Amino acid sequence: MLDLSLPPSVTVSPTLVGVSILTDDGVTVQVSLPRPRGLHDMPQAEVAARAKRLAQAALITAFKSLETV
């Protein structure tokens, strides 16, 4: 995996995109997303930007799910 050293940290592999976030409380949250077909020709920086948006949406959904538990 190639670490793009973006805040949050984004790693891009041929099949996965990982987004890792360190919270103010010192907790690391990692979201792993499958790298969709068709993104192989896209620049890694653009893949990382899309992954951050998808990770944000996933974290919001997870937060809402945890509220009901």
Side-chain angles (χ1 to χ4, degrees):
M1 289 192 177
L2 173 68
D3 187 354
L4 297 179
S5 301
L6 298 173
S9 173
V10 177
T11 53
V12 179
S13 80
T15 58
L16 288 174
V17 178
V19 180
S20 181
I21 300 139
L22 179 62
T23 70
D24 292 339
D25 296 321
V27 176
T28 300
V29 178
Q30 173 138 5
V31 177
S32 296
L33 306 160
R35 186 172 178 177
R37 294 181 187 186
L39 294 184
H40 294 284
D41 297 330
M42 190 178 295
Q44 286 188 351
E46 192 171 338
V47 172
R50 283 190 182 195
K52 288 194 311 187
R53 288 192 301 271
L54 289 171
Q56 182 181 32
L59 288 171
I60 290 168
T61 300
F63 175 77
K64 289 177 181 178
S65 295
L66 289 171
E67 283 184 322
T68 61
V69 175

